[in-house]
Amino acid sequence: MARNHAERHANSCLAATWRPLAAGRPAMSPAWWAWVATQDSLTARLIEAGNGRPFRVHLLDQRLGKPRLDEARALGLPLDRLAWLREVALCLDERPWVVARSVAPLAQMRGQRLERLGERSLGSWLFRQPDLVRSPIEVTAAPAPFHRLTGPWGRRSVFRHGRFAVLVQEFFLDQMADELALPSR
């Protein structure tokens, strides 16, 4: 009972923290804006920034479950519907730079084999889809609600490919900021 109350409270607090990208611009340094506002593949940008260091997608969790309230709202999904949930850490030299959580409604996954991605990047699949459409980016300064590591910014958007939709949430970590000498915000 206490856990459910705490989860509902966390969901309601988290839902209020997402803002349109433009609303986050005044608080964001130009260096972070270049990372957070980009429309291209974050995986490709991380690999480039790593200057030859080994890049790895570390699968943290993958399961069927109910999305959080803010996730269901972003996807226009009823609260009682199951979704494919995937959490990963994007690492350079085995150190996490970004943690990400993807949520895809099960009803829209027909024919998609995302559960087979394993430790491959979801972005590497998404950005190969010729009809890919991305919703406007939203940002938050709140930490990732699914991971203990913290960082300055999170972003999210919904990617659509035909009838398929997936909410992708990416949280930039302090480790990345330190290694790239990025400002705190």
Side-chain angles (χ1 to χ4, degrees):
M1 178 78 166
R3 180 180 161 99
N4 287 339
H5 175 71
E7 286 175 2
R8 280 195 306 274
H9 178 71
N11 282 341
S12 64
C13 291
L14 184 63
T17 65
W18 291 105
R19 303 180 296 176
L21 179 62
R25 178 70 172 113
M28 199 175 297
S29 68
W32 274 114
W33 179 260
W35 279 98
V36 176
T38 186
Q39 296 285 326
D40 57 351
S41 168
L42 179 58
T43 298
R45 294 204 64 216
L46 290 170
I47 291 169
E48 182 181 328
N51 289 321
R53 288 184 277 180
F55 173 82
R56 177 178 177 223
V57 175
H58 178 66
L59 181 62
L60 303 172
D61 189 21
Q62 181 173 274
R63 67 186 185 289
L64 299 181
K66 291 184 182 176
R68 292 189 319 267
L69 176 62
D70 67 298
E71 295 169 333
R73 285 183 178 157
L75 288 162
L77 188 65
L79 293 178
D80 61 342
R81 296 288 167 84
L82 286 178
W84 173 74
L85 309 174
R86 180 175 192 245
E87 297 168 2
V88 299
L90 306 178
C91 304
L92 282 135
D93 281 337
E94 296 297 321
R95 290 189 298 275
W97 280 24
V98 174
V99 290
R101 177 174 159 104
S102 302
V103 180
L106 285 184
Q108 298 173 0
M109 287 187 62
R110 292 189 184 110
Q112 311 304 331
R113 301 276 188 245
L114 298 180
E115 72 280 357
R116 296 182 186 168
L117 277 173
E119 295 205 333
R120 289 177 301 191
S121 160
L122 174 61
S124 67
W125 177 81
L126 280 173
F127 284 98
R128 288 195 318 262
Q129 306 312 310
D131 62 343
L132 186 67
V133 176
R134 183 179 197 167
S135 73
I137 294 172
E138 294 179 308
V139 298
T140 184
F146 58 91
H147 201 273
R148 62 178 171 70
L149 296 177
T150 61
W153 297 105
R155 71 178 190 169
R156 74 177 187 177
S157 54
V158 176
F159 291 87
R160 297 188 187 281
H161 159 57
R163 288 190 56 232
F164 173 75
V166 60
L167 173 66
V168 177
Q169 303 160 97
E170 301 157 323
F171 292 83
F172 300 91
L173 301 175
D174 292 333
Q175 179 76 32
M176 177 185 167
D178 292 346
E179 291 196 32
L180 295 179
L182 294 169
S184 61
R185 292 258 181 219

